[in-house]
Amino acid sequence: MRILLIGKFPPIEGGVSVKTFEFCLDALQRGHEVHFLTNSNEVENEYRQQFLNHDTTFMDSLLSGAAFHLYQTTPLDGYSQIPRSDCFFSKLFGIGSSILEHEDIDIIIGWYFEPYGLVASVLASLYSKPFILIHAGSDLGRLSRHPDLHHAYNWMVNNSTSFLTKPRSRELLVSTFPQISNTKKLRNRPGVPLPKYFTEKAPKLDINEYVDNADELFSGINDDELKRSLLSLNQKRFHPIGLTLGMYGKVGRRKGTFALLESLSTLASDGVEFSFIGLFGGKESILKEAIEIIEGNVMLAKRTWILPFVPPWRIPSYLNLCDITCFLENRFPISIHGPGIPFEVLTFGSCLVCSKEIADKSFIRANLIDRKTFVEITDPEDTEELPRRLNELLSNEHLVRSIAARGNRIAHHFNQELRKSPSLCEILEDLV
């Protein structure tokens, strides 16, 4: 197959970018040709994975060969219009139409509605190509509610050849686009095993390497005060004290970032020994609030390192540094949102501390047992529960190791089962 995929791609942060990258690797391994169209190089610094030199080399080595073609939009640089926009739809459409005029493409995939799915849909209609649509959580659960966008997405859905979704999203999908309920185009999207590039060949995450490159890694931050704070936190060498805790992802109240930092501040003031490594990004104003909590406690600041988003292949070695990793998302407004971070944490042998809200959404929920395979936090915003449960772990290394080991065995089993199931690429082969 010759595939044109339009979507997110590293260095864009987030699960969609990771999954499209994994799909490319699977498709290439299965002998297909992939033309990938994206605007990832134009992602704002707040949501950008920060590459070091060998990250680019490693990614290129995974995608090397004549069967992969990457197309990037470029900044306007002097071209402008009023009101201001980055013209992403028009730029993607322009490149996409050129690809279709010069390449014999068999199928077009639009992964995430805005703007990728809509661009893919228009191109498929104009060039009479089969069009596969794949959604995430925020595009279906949030963007589709806007009346102007909904009308455009309604056309996009009607124009799709097939629409891939997960079972837990089906009810919301059908209520948002009722016309799809009685059609054969709605297909189940398979679960995805952890990628094969999580191997010993991937670049390791060396905290001191990031400390040495801090000036470059934080150069894109606009808020000078925030930049100084991050450089100050990361000027010390990494010498962990006690057990090491971690958290990675976008910062925010609903992400549990502030609940964790406030709990760690309490524990640090009480003299509990630990180290903390956060891989954080997101809106600078919110990140600044989080950093202020750390800087407000000298004992916490001494044992904290805050790094930017890193490429996905660095995550396994990051988790190997973390004895305990927290994922405390709570009160999240998009009900179908099912992040993959908890499964990553379990798979790479870190003790998972997770909100009940997210644990209840997990496909391995029956095997998530408090104090056996993970640690369940009923309400991360409870100012007594979270610090108490963390203190219990930090004072009992044997408990941490045993929970992590049992969780790891469960995750390994399910990951092997996922590998036996048809992949997304195999489903597309059947559709074509």
Side-chain angles (χ1 to χ4, degrees):
M1 270 193 309
R2 290 170 295 276
I3 303 166
L4 171 58
L5 173 52
I6 307 175
K8 299 184 182 184
F9 195 78
I12 298 177
E13 167 66 13
V16 176
S17 176
V18 173
K19 288 181 176 62
T20 58
F21 184 70
E22 293 167 9
F23 171 81
C24 289
L25 297 181
D26 185 37
L28 293 171
Q29 187 176 33
R30 295 177 65 81
H32 302 300
E33 184 174 333
V34 179
H35 297 258
F36 201 114
L37 173 55
T38 184
N39 57 350
S40 66
N41 279 350
E42 295 193 68
V43 65
E44 54 268 50
N45 186 73
E46 295 170 324
Y47 302 104
R48 175 183 290 271
Q49 299 162 357
Q50 296 297 337
F51 280 32
L52 297 175
N53 288 336
H54 31 301
D55 286 311
T56 302
T57 302
F58 179 71
M59 185 172 75
D60 290 345
S61 71
L62 292 176
L63 299 170
S64 61
F68 182 76
H69 313 269
L70 182 63
Y71 307 83
Q72 290 273 7
T73 62
T74 55
L76 294 176
D77 287 343
Y79 296 86
S80 63
Q81 77 291 329
I82 301 172
R84 174 82 177 99
S85 83
D86 290 313
C87 302
F88 284 137
F89 183 99
S90 300
K91 288 190 285 188
L92 290 167
F93 175 81
I95 299 172
S97 59
S98 177
I99 294 170
L100 288 163
E101 287 169 7
H102 293 91
E103 303 289 343
D104 187 15
I105 299 296
D106 297 308
I107 188 169
I108 302 175
I109 303 171
W111 200 320
Y112 198 86
F113 290 175
E114 186 64 38
Y116 316 104
L118 197 56
V119 172
S121 182
V122 173
L123 289 171
S125 179
L126 290 174
Y127 289 88
S128 301
K129 300 291 183 180
F131 162 50
I132 309 300
L133 181 61
I134 305 174
H135 72 87
S138 57
D139 52 352
L140 175 60
R142 180 168 51 84
L143 295 178
S144 295
R145 297 177 183 176
H146 190 284
D148 299 343
L149 294 176
H150 179 80
H151 193 73
Y153 298 162
N154 204 56
W155 181 87
M156 171 186 67
V157 169
N158 290 340
N159 192 49
S160 64
T161 307
S162 292
F163 195 151
L164 273 60
T165 188
K166 291 185 176 180
R168 69 166 177 264
S169 305
R170 187 176 288 257
E171 182 178 349
L172 177 60
L173 179 62
V174 171
S175 66
T176 306
F177 304 106
Q179 73 274 21
I180 202 172
S181 60
N182 296 318
T183 66
K184 294 182 179 180
K185 68 173 60 179
L186 193 57
R187 301 288 296 267
N188 281 333
R189 178 178 147 198
V192 180
L194 289 179
K196 296 177 181 178
Y197 61 74
F198 278 0
T199 68
E200 294 180 359
K201 296 179 181 179
K204 304 299 181 185
L205 192 143
D206 179 351
I207 303 297
N208 290 324
E209 181 182 22
Y210 281 78
V211 168
D212 292 339
N213 289 276
D215 286 338
E216 176 186 352
L217 294 171
F218 294 119
S219 62
I221 291 179
N222 296 312
D223 188 307
D224 290 336
E225 185 178 345
L226 173 59
K227 186 186 299 184
R228 284 193 295 271
S229 296
L230 288 168
L231 291 174
S232 176
L233 284 174
N234 292 292
Q235 66 181 354
K236 54 189 180 295
R237 309 302 286 175
F238 181 62
H239 298 295
I241 301 171
L243 295 178
T244 299
L245 294 101
M247 174 181 264
Y248 60 109
K250 301 179 183 73
V251 295
R253 291 280 174 193
R254 289 169 173 162
K255 294 291 186 180
T257 315
F258 292 89
L260 176 62
L261 294 179
E262 287 159 1
S263 295
L264 294 182
S265 181
T266 298
L267 294 175
S269 296
D270 291 343
V272 179
E273 288 193 344
F274 64 88
S275 301
F276 177 65
I277 311 169
L279 303 185
F280 287 161
K283 291 184 179 179
E284 288 189 4
S285 59
I286 301 176
L287 180 57
K288 188 174 182 179
E289 287 183 48
I291 299 304
E292 285 172 353
I293 295 175
I294 300 170
E295 291 189 315
N297 187 317
V298 176
M299 295 303 296
L300 178 58
K302 284 183 177 179
R303 59 190 69 184
T304 294
W305 289 261
I306 300 297
L307 308 181
F309 291 139
V310 301
W313 47 84
R314 298 264 193 176
I315 295 299
S317 58
Y318 165 70
L319 291 173
N320 288 335
L321 294 173
C322 299
D323 303 295
I324 303 163
T325 305
C326 302
F327 192 81
L328 302 170
E329 189 173 285
N330 64 95
R331 299 169 175 83
F332 204 73
I334 302 173
S335 60
I336 63 170
H337 181 58
I341 288 178
F343 191 61
E344 292 179 358
V345 174
L346 292 168
T347 302
F348 292 103
S350 185
C351 176
L352 173 65
V353 176
C354 186
S355 63
K356 183 179 185 301
E357 177 179 316
I358 294 301
D360 285 345
K361 294 180 179 182
S362 174
F363 71 100
I364 61 169
R365 182 59 175 119
N367 298 91
L368 294 178
I369 304 169
D370 187 33
R371 297 187 88 253
K372 295 295 184 182
T373 55
F374 87 126
V375 175
E376 180 176 279
I377 305 299
T378 305
D379 183 6
E381 297 298 326
D382 185 330
T383 56
E384 294 184 0
E385 181 190 15
L386 183 56
R388 175 175 56 80
R389 299 302 301 275
L390 290 176
N391 190 32
E392 178 187 15
L393 293 173
L394 292 170
S395 60
N396 191 338
E397 183 174 349
H398 175 73
L399 177 63
V400 170
R401 303 289 180 218
S402 61
I403 293 173
R406 285 190 290 265
N408 177 252
R409 286 195 293 271
I410 293 297
H412 179 74
H413 167 75
F414 278 95
N415 198 48
Q416 293 300 107
E417 291 300 309
L418 286 171
R419 291 200 184 282
K420 297 176 184 178
S421 303
S423 69
L424 175 57
C425 192
E426 289 175 279
I427 290 176
L428 294 180
E429 291 169 351
D430 290 340
L431 290 173
V432 173

